[in-house]
Amino acid sequence: MIFEPEFETLPPDRMRALQSGRLRDLVAYVAARVPMYRDRLSAAGISPDAVRSIDDITRLPITRKSDLRDHYPFGLLAVPQADLRRVHASSGTTGKATVVAYTANDVALFAQVNARALAMAGATPGMLLHNAYGYGLFTGGLGIHYGGERLGMAVVPVSGGMTDRQLTLIQDFRPHVITCTPSYALTLAAEFRRRGIAPDDISLQYALLGAEPWTEGMRRQVDAALGVRSTNIYGLSEIIGPGVSNECVEARDGSHVMEDHFYPEILDPETAAPVADGQEGVLVLTTLTKEALPLLRYWTGDITSLARGACACGRTLVRMRLIKGRTDDMLIIRGVNVYPSQVESVLARVPELAPHYRLVVSRTGTMDELRVESEVTEAYAREVGIEVLSEDVVAADRRLEQLRARISGGLRDTIGVSMAVRLLAPGEAPRSEGGKLNRVVDRRPRD
Ligand code: DLL
């Protein structure tokens, strides 16, 4: 089902005309209302009436996370504070939180794009939605919640965590759709298995997974273990929260960007020059219709590429590929750029390994080292009959040693750099307890 066909199936030329009109209004709006943008546009010699079409976007200044921090908490608002109806914040790993705010129209837009996303993922009015994204300052819980209601679903606001209760509610209420992080979907799947509940006995049909990077390998595991067809939902607080893009359940071939509201560009990470469709780079988004906190060309730091052209679902919205990583989680291991997701896709191809791993980054002298620590499956642990996988045990067992050599060979051949591999027993790697899972342990000294 297409929630807003009048926008989601617009022919490309009409979409560009819509975006052009919206960009013109936006530039005039921020120049009149946001001092930072007024100053930057005039410093760049851009008068708002010189912006005629969406192609002029490349002349506009780029906005970065540091701009939001520098104007913490409300310095970039384009409306009086009394016009706000909602505030969210994302806790960065460093420094102050990034604060974002919404007018009543922004809250309505937030619901609208998430209703679209849910419909893209297979949800229809009348279905029951188990929403296990965190409620609170994080945008995931409330964003999906309003989207579900807007679509005409009943929403169970479970929030993240308390895995036992999640299972009980899923078994008792029999929801059709679940929304959570992909790592938490694996946690729930493991718990269902532990309780002896088969995928066919789980009522769920569709899952919208996002808020953290994941891979096709993880998708296969979640789909098989929960008996669902899962799609990728992408978004970030600065732009709105979840609902910037979502895969359609028909093709699952890239996530359709709600480009009538959020205009995507892909820029070279070093030069910030636009790259061609299909080429990888940093996703940069412009909010074409937001009122409280409109952003010009926001540098997301997320690495992906865009694909245009007809889609099996009938939508014309441009598609973005799975996020490959972030410019800032990129590791440089002996000169080679390594994204955690690349390591993950190699591990996902090894049948003896479970989808639970951690990457330990350390530094000796000036060199970054990466150790990959991955759990073996329970079946494999039983097969080799070993409970503790200490280094000594692995070294003394020919089968384990061969497995480890096969994994490091795969990593070296695919990524082009060798890294140490440690096998973990089932249960040793960190699990998601409801929210985003950080799989990278950084032991490098802070300088
Ligand atoms: O994570 C919003 C969200 C909630 C998206 C629920 C999807 C579902 P933030 O906390 O501001 O917002 O984090 C945004 O998370 O820049 C990406 O690096 C990462 N991210 C979000 N979705 C995906 C995804 C929410 N599907 C940051 N794949 C973004 C990969 C994702 N990374």
Side-chain angles (χ1 to χ4, degrees):
M1 170 202 158
I2 302 185
F3 186 65
E4 286 186 285
E6 63 278 31
F7 294 107
E8 297 177 64
T9 64
L10 268 186
D13 53 333
R14 290 191 42 210
M15 177 61 80
R16 289 191 81 73
L18 178 72
Q19 291 165 332
S20 296
R22 289 183 169 177
L23 182 69
R24 282 197 298 268
D25 293 347
L26 169 70
V27 175
Y29 181 83
V30 297
R33 290 166 175 252
V34 184
M36 179 187 85
Y37 282 131
R38 184 185 309 137
D39 296 347
R40 287 203 185 160
L41 288 166
S42 73
I46 301 165
S47 97
D49 30 286
V51 175
R52 304 204 170 280
S53 95
I54 192 71
D55 297 324
D56 293 324
I57 200 164
T58 55
R59 298 168 45 211
L60 300 179
I62 287 175
T63 310
R64 293 177 188 272
K65 198 178 193 85
S66 55
D67 294 320
L68 289 161
R69 285 213 201 98
D70 293 347
H71 294 87
Y72 174 89
F74 297 131
L76 291 184
L77 290 189
V79 298
Q81 213 174 307
D83 288 353
L84 299 183
R85 293 295 174 272
R86 174 102 61 87
V87 173
H88 280 289
S90 77
S91 50
T93 38
T94 49
K96 286 215 174 96
T98 305
V99 177
V100 296
Y102 308 70
T103 62
N105 283 337
D106 293 336
V107 171
L109 170 66
F110 197 13
Q112 198 77 5
V113 291
N114 278 285
R116 276 192 197 177
L118 283 155
M120 287 175 180
T124 54
M127 284 186 173
L128 187 62
L129 169 62
H130 181 98
N131 184 16
Y133 282 117
Y135 281 67
L137 285 176
F138 177 56
T139 51
L142 283 170
I144 299 277
H145 186 104
Y146 276 58
E149 291 185 349
R150 181 75 189 79
L151 180 60
M153 308 177 80
V155 188
V156 187
V158 202
S159 199
M162 304 223 277
T163 303
D164 270 347
R165 192 181 67 171
Q166 305 262 357
L167 262 79
T168 306
L169 293 179
I170 293 172
Q171 284 183 272
D172 294 352
F173 295 179
R174 303 193 59 75
H176 307 87
V177 182
I178 184 166
T179 45
C180 62
T181 58
S183 57
Y184 197 53
L186 285 173
T187 297
L188 294 173
E191 193 52 30
F192 272 115
R193 198 166 44 238
R194 205 184 60 78
R195 293 194 186 180
I197 299 161
D200 282 353
D201 296 329
I202 305 171
S203 63
L204 298 167
Q205 299 169 26
Y206 304 110
L208 286 84
L209 310 181
E212 64 186 9
W214 57 309
T215 56
E216 294 297 338
M218 273 176 89
R219 183 186 337 246
R220 279 192 292 278
Q221 310 238 12
V222 171
D223 283 7
L226 291 179
V228 293
R229 208 167 148 77
S230 56
T231 54
N232 181 36
I233 179 163
Y234 169 84
L236 63 165
S237 322
E238 296 90 317
I239 296 302
I240 197 150
V244 170
S245 72
N246 206 101
E247 286 172 336
C248 58
V249 70
E250 292 88 350
R252 298 202 294 189
D253 184 23
S255 299
H256 291 287
V257 183
M258 317 296 173
E259 59 171 312
D260 47 333
H261 297 291
F262 315 120
Y263 182 78
E265 297 172 84
I266 304 289
L267 304 186
D268 182 293
E270 303 296 327
T271 65
V275 305
D277 285 345
Q279 299 290 308
E280 266 175 13
V282 176
L283 176 68
V284 169
L285 291 162
T286 296
T287 63
L288 294 176
T289 53
K290 267 177 58 190
E291 291 181 344
L293 186 67
L295 294 178
L296 298 181
R297 307 187 83 201
Y298 185 72
W299 183 272
T300 66
D302 294 317
I303 310 279
T304 184
S305 60
L306 295 181
R308 294 181 205 275
C311 181
C313 69
R315 291 180 184 83
T316 50
L317 299 174
V318 63
R319 283 161 289 147
M320 54 182 265
R321 299 283 167 215
L322 286 183
I323 301 291
K324 187 169 159 198
R326 292 181 51 83
T327 38
D328 48 13
D329 75 5
M330 188 179 80
L331 303 166
I332 304 183
I333 308 297
R334 290 190 291 286
V336 179
N337 294 355
V338 179
Y339 292 100
S341 62
Q342 290 177 295
V343 175
E344 176 171 325
S345 33
V346 174
L347 299 179
R349 289 199 294 268
V350 180
E352 292 89 345
L353 294 181
H356 303 293
Y357 66 95
R358 114 185 118 207
L359 306 180
V360 184
V361 194
S362 56
R363 183 173 293 163
T364 31
T366 54
M367 290 272 236
D368 284 351
E369 297 287 341
L370 183 59
R371 189 172 70 230
V372 177
E373 304 191 343
S374 185
E375 274 182 27
V376 300
T377 61
E378 285 182 22
Y380 185 72
R382 267 198 306 278
E383 190 186 315
V384 291
I386 280 168
E387 271 165 32
V388 185
L389 285 177
S390 70
E391 292 291 302
D392 299 348
V393 171
V394 175
D397 187 303
R398 201 171 45 84
R399 291 164 305 176
L400 291 168
E401 200 39 72
Q402 278 173 354
L403 172 62
R404 181 159 70 176
R406 179 147 49 85
I407 299 166
S408 48
L411 289 167
R412 196 181 47 242
D413 294 346
T414 318
I415 302 174
V417 63
S418 35
M419 33 194 118
V421 173
R422 221 185 117 193
L423 298 175
L424 303 179
E428 275 194 86
R431 299 288 195 274
S432 165
E433 286 171 8
K436 302 187 195 222
L437 175 60
N438 187 8
R439 300 176 192 273
V440 180
V441 183
D442 195 340
R443 302 223 171 106
R444 284 173 293 191
R446 296 262 156 258
D447 28 39

